[in-house]
Amino acid sequence: MTESLTEPLGDQPVPGPAPELRILSSRVYRGPNVWHYEPVIQLVVDLGVLEDYPTNKLPGFADALVKALPGLMTHSCSRGKRGGFVERLHEGTWLGHVAEHVALQLQQSVGHEVRRGKTRQVKGEHGRYNVIFAYSDESVGLAAGELAVKLVNSLVRPDPDFDFEAALERFIVRGERTAYGPSTQAIVDEAVSRDIPHMRLNTASLVQLGQGVHQQRIRATMTSRTSSVAVDIAGNKELTLNLLSAAGLPVPKSQSVRAVEDAVRVANRIGYPVVVKPLDGNHGRGVILNLTSDDQVRAAFDTAKQESRGGSIIVETYLTGRDYRCLVIDGRIAAIAERVPAHVVGDGTSTVAELVEITNADPRRGVGHEKVLTRIKVDQAAVDLVASQGFAMDDVPPPDTVVKLTLTGNMSTGGISIDRTFEAHPENIEIAEEAARVVGLDIAGIDFIAPDITQPVRETGGGICEVNAAPGFRMHTHPTIGDPQYVAKPVMDMLFPPGTPSRIPIVAVTGTNGKTTTSRMIAHIFKGIGRKVGMTSTDGVVVDERLVIRSDASGPRSAKMVLQNPRVDFAVFEVARGGILREGLGYERNDVGVVLNVQPDHLGMRGIDTLEQLADVKAVVVEAVPRSGFAVLNADDPLVRAMRSKCSGRVIWFTMAEPGSDIRESVDDHCRRGGRAVVLEHSDLGDMIVVKEGRRSMQVAWTHLLPSTFGGRALMNVQNAMAAAAASFAAGASLHDIRQGLRTFSTNYYLSPGRLNEVQVEGRTVIVDYCHNAPGMRMLGDFVDKTGEQLDATTELGKASRIGVIATAGDRRDADMRELGEIAAHHFDVVIVREDDNPRGRAPGEVAGLVAEGVRSAMGEGVRCKQVETVLDELEATRHAIARSNPGDLIVICVDRHASVMAELESYGRHAQPGARAESSRKVNSVPDPDFVPSALLADTDATPSRD
């Protein structure tokens, strides 16, 4: 190990540890996640030898860091007070923690208000840390993390090739370019203050406010309600002025031309001075004012034509006076600003060029619309204008002399603004509001030229020279002089009037097994109520019971797709472990969070090695429940039961525990205290699902009368139905609607593909299910035993054989694969082991070998299985199971590509020979339309799903 630093950090390298702080991996969480309830970035960093060098062992490090980023002095860290982080630096903290604070400060330097972070050591790995910090824009956040590591390394051992000041400047420019513009940011900030969700739809300024059916969209200051016809009218300046004139509003005389000599003739007809500008221009580009001669018009014509998209030029009367922008929102004046053209004021010592540089050095000025003011641009037009005032750029104007650099007062050309909102005469306000109505714009910028806005323009002279669609808010929210006007408020009042909802109800379902079926039950219940339900699951994205995308859609990106759909008014999300670990949740919060169970599956993946760690991942859904929401928790699962402490809202328990048991007593006590629960009540007639609230007990349905439970034999679906009833009750469904939904939900292939689909194939009962792990096999095995016993009691062909076709995913642990086989051996006479098409890193036959090994290890006296066979291909295994079975037998096929398997089973019905058994007249009774499976599902659903 190299020796520590022995002298203060300076410009030259000094003895010390080699800077080995490295980023090993990075991950962006876009919603609530295992680290925080807000979006964060996770960096896994390796300190190397620097693990042995906390900051107090690096002489001069703390002072050099604070000098580079003075803003760090405001960080409180864990001390809870200003300067707390600097105290930690001097006392000694590790460089991963330093990188966290530097990444936050770098983002703050570009105006991102991010302050939360944490650093935790990776368990069992010396010198490695998880660095977690919040972000507003993910590209900026990632760049901040990378720059933070470079800065820390350079302070430990100076790098002559690393220039932090230049790197910081590049970072700031990048951050400003990806940020919202001032107008969009103002609206988004107002939405956040009202708890209205927002979603950026592109890299520019297209933003969705609200969710689903309640959504509104904005692009800068154009909204979903902005008329495209009105925008076209405002873009045609001649048409605009004609309409305003026809409405009796004061406007200058004007006419459009396409030839330079026509412009001269119009100027002479309407009288000098005149203005020449593009017919379809904006931001003051190509506008030349106060032209007093034919030659000036000819020169201005070419300039204006360069900025015209259509080639047409407007010649209009030049109105004298001050330039005012009246902002009209939803028919009412929201703000008025006086716009002063870009100029400099002489100080008696500086040249005009130097005065421009001094003015542009104002930190409020930036490029384009990135800051509240725009830098003054010196082009040939500015030089000519300065010359017309008697100065050259290298001349020194006398003190207090105003030198104009543009004639128009647009902020985009370097002008400044003065707030005049409360000074305007009522008649002028009425004129501006009427102009917006005439054009038809919901948000309009009315440009007034008048000697004094406090006096009626009809008396003092002046008028409206332009009406602008998508007017900028910058001059009103950040006036150079005067009070800021909160113009985003009337915009939000227009888009979301008081009392108007902006969010749709979200029900999130997670757990190891049963997520998809429970999600489908909830969606089916609310579809019956008349809601347009958007659902995500491992089968795809479903909108209003129509499958719109076929893929594993249990992750956050699919959730965002549903929330963007303008038809959806209710969302049900299946939330998988993998999606939470990859990106977090795809939304801010869920009104109802359902956790079904936490069982040993997916262990040994993505750092999740224990059930407790897996429970922490699933608990993210519970942590995303707001105070007004509900968590529906399985009281029978101790890991799920422990999640109640993480819920900000109310808890609804569901339990299958017997009355009198400890769990049931605890649940009943919860209800006596005003809580809610869904329980099973037993009687001679069967089991009744009951909703309890306080002292009230409300019956929902007999379990044996629900089609999905197969007469009560499928206990997994009894439990799923109870969870669905609890979630639906929490989401506002009535008991009648819940009862009706559960009674009409079945596991046929239309409603629940790949989940306990029962079909008849030439006298054989075939169950198609997605079971792929040991806990699921236990539940499925119980169902198989009960179904087999029923078949034995009803068949005339003797005792039915039970044949199972089983498999699991290749990314599971070897022990999990063997356990799956061991459990299957207790429920099937014959086990046929197959493999998925995607072995997930395993060699062909390796997964099947491990599963078969588990079957064989369990075989023996008292174990049902007497034979195990291996057929790797899924369809071949299906054919083999049918071929080796007899009428009356029970076959269970654990599928990967359920559409292909269902099509294969259907083919037995199409190819039946004359004289076959009577049963074969309804070979596949759950697929009445023989074309449904292959034509609608087979082609696109056969890709191996991730089961995440």
Side-chain angles (χ1 to χ4, degrees), residues 47 93 187 302 321 374 430 479 654 708 761 782 852 870 903:
L47 269 61
T93 188
I187 297 174
D302 292 335
T374 301
E430 181 181 341
F654 67 95
S708 62
V761 178
D782 179 75
T870 299

Side-chain angles (χ1 to χ4, degrees), residues 780-827:
L780 181 62
D782 179 75
F783 171 71
V784 167
D785 291 343
K786 294 175 180 177
T787 302
E789 291 170 3
Q790 185 183 62
L791 290 175
D792 291 344
T794 58
T795 183
E796 300 175 357
L797 303 175
K799 214 166 188 180
S801 293
R802 305 172 193 175
I803 302 171
V805 180
I806 67 173
T808 190
D811 54 6
R812 299 326 192 246
R813 301 177 302 181
D814 292 359
D816 296 333
M817 298 180 184
R818 294 189 185 96
E819 186 182 6
L820 175 70
E822 292 170 5
I823 296 170
H826 288 82
H827 302 285

Side-chain angles (χ1 to χ4, degrees), residues 373-392:
L373 293 173
T374 301
R375 291 173 183 166
I376 299 173
K377 180 181 178 181
V378 178
D379 53 14
Q380 188 58 47
V383 173
D384 293 342
L385 180 59
V386 170
S388 69
Q389 299 170 72
F391 299 101

Side-chain angles (χ1 to χ4, degrees), residues 174-372:
R174 176 177 185 170
E176 291 171 344
R177 287 178 178 173
T178 59
Y180 289 130
S183 302
T184 306
Q185 189 65 58
I187 297 174
V188 169
D189 288 345
E190 180 66 20
V192 170
S193 71
R194 300 185 182 203
D195 195 31
I196 294 175
H198 64 92
M199 189 184 309
R200 194 169 191 169
L201 300 180
N202 64 3
T203 58
S205 297
L206 183 62
V207 179
Q208 174 182 316
L209 305 174
Q211 299 169 339
V213 70
H214 303 307
Q215 68 178 269
Q216 300 286 343
R217 292 177 182 172
I218 63 168
R219 188 175 66 187
T221 61
M222 293 179 66
T223 76
S224 301
R225 300 187 180 186
T226 301
S227 164
S228 61
V229 173
V231 173
D232 288 344
I233 292 173
N236 186 318
K237 301 185 187 304
E238 182 181 32
L239 177 58
T240 299
L241 294 179
N242 288 340
L243 291 175
L244 297 180
S245 177
L249 300 179
V251 294
K253 298 177 181 179
S254 67
Q255 184 176 333
S256 65
V257 297
R258 299 185 66 88
V260 62
E261 291 306 319
D262 290 339
V264 172
R265 282 193 292 273
V266 170
N268 282 279
R269 181 173 59 81
I270 64 177
Y272 287 103
V274 298
V275 176
V276 172
K277 60 185 178 181
L279 177 71
D280 49 7
N282 54 35
H283 296 298
R285 299 186 185 98
V287 178
I288 299 91
L289 307 176
N290 197 18
L291 304 176
T292 58
S293 69
D294 294 355
D295 291 339
Q296 289 181 347
V297 169
R298 291 187 180 95
F301 184 90
D302 292 335
T303 302
K305 195 164 187 177
Q306 292 174 6
E307 299 293 338
S308 174
R309 295 184 295 274
S312 294
I313 304 301
I314 287 283
V315 180
E316 68 181 27
T317 303
Y318 174 60
L319 301 177
T320 58
R322 298 178 180 178
D323 184 355
Y324 297 95
R325 163 64 63 84
C326 301
L327 180 64
V328 180
I329 299 174
D330 198 24
R332 299 180 63 85
I333 281 286
I336 299 175
E338 179 184 348
R339 300 185 297 181
V340 180
H343 65 280
V344 293
V345 180
D347 59 7
T349 59
S350 303
T351 67
V352 174
E354 290 171 342
L355 290 171
V356 171
E357 291 182 8
I358 294 171
T359 302
N360 283 340
D362 186 337
R364 295 176 297 173
R365 290 188 182 268
V367 178
H369 292 274
E370 66 187 14
K371 292 189 176 181
V372 297

Side-chain angles (χ1 to χ4, degrees), residues 591-593 622 625-633 644 647-653 670-671 673-677 692-694 729-730:
D591 301 275
V592 181
V622 178
V625 173
R627 291 184 180 276
S628 59
F630 293 87
V632 176
L633 304 179
R644 61 184 170 184
C647 180
S648 299
R650 300 174 61 187
V651 172
I652 301 180
W653 298 109
H670 168 77
C671 293
R673 288 183 279 110
R676 298 181 184 183
K692 302 186 72 175
E693 182 175 18
F729 190 60

Side-chain angles (χ1 to χ4, degrees), residues 735-906:
L735 286 179
H736 170 76
D737 293 323
I738 296 171
R739 187 179 299 116
Q740 181 67 15
L742 293 178
R743 284 179 175 175
T744 56
F745 180 86
S746 69
T747 58
N748 67 53
Y749 196 67
Y750 288 108
L751 288 178
S752 190
R755 294 335 190 258
L756 279 190
N757 306 139
E758 180 181 1
V759 298
Q760 297 293 321
V761 178
E762 297 181 348
R764 301 157 177 82
T765 299
V766 181
I767 302 294
V768 176
D769 192 68
Y770 205 53
C771 174
H772 60 276
N773 57 41
M777 183 58 71
R778 286 194 182 91
M779 298 293 289
L780 181 62
D782 179 75
F783 171 71
V784 167
D785 291 343
K786 294 175 180 177
T787 302
E789 291 170 3
Q790 185 183 62
L791 290 175
D792 291 344
T794 58
T795 183
E796 300 175 357
L797 303 175
K799 214 166 188 180
S801 293
R802 305 172 193 175
I803 302 171
V805 180
I806 67 173
T808 190
D811 54 6
R812 299 326 192 246
R813 301 177 302 181
D814 292 359
D816 296 333
M817 298 180 184
R818 294 189 185 96
E819 186 182 6
L820 175 70
E822 292 170 5
I823 296 170
H826 288 82
H827 302 285
F828 296 102
D829 298 294
V830 178
V831 175
I832 301 171
V833 184
R834 65 162 188 84
E835 280 192 344
D836 293 348
D837 288 346
N838 180 4
R840 304 194 187 191
R842 300 270 188 171
E846 181 182 356
V847 174
L850 290 167
V851 175
E853 181 182 326
V855 177
R856 294 189 186 96
S857 68
M859 291 170 62
E861 186 176 352
V863 177
R864 189 174 190 96
C865 183
K866 305 303 179 186
Q867 187 173 354
V868 58
E869 301 171 355
T870 299
V871 181
L872 296 184
D873 181 75
E874 185 170 19
L875 295 184
E876 287 297 327
T878 300
R879 298 184 190 111
H880 181 66
I882 299 295
R884 74 171 335 280
S885 63
N886 297 307
D889 287 349
L890 173 63
I891 303 171
V892 175
I893 305 174
C894 297
V895 296
D896 178 33
R897 298 176 295 141
H898 56 74
S900 297
V901 171
M902 292 297 289
E904 177 65 26
L905 296 176
E906 179 191 279

Side-chain angles (χ1 to χ4, degrees), residues 336 420-431 452-457 459:
I336 299 175
R420 304 292 190 190
T421 301
F422 302 106
E423 301 175 16
H425 192 277
E427 184 175 323
N428 295 337
I429 292 175
E430 181 181 341
I431 290 172
D452 188 350
I453 198 69
T454 64
Q455 302 297 318
V457 294
E459 297 177 6

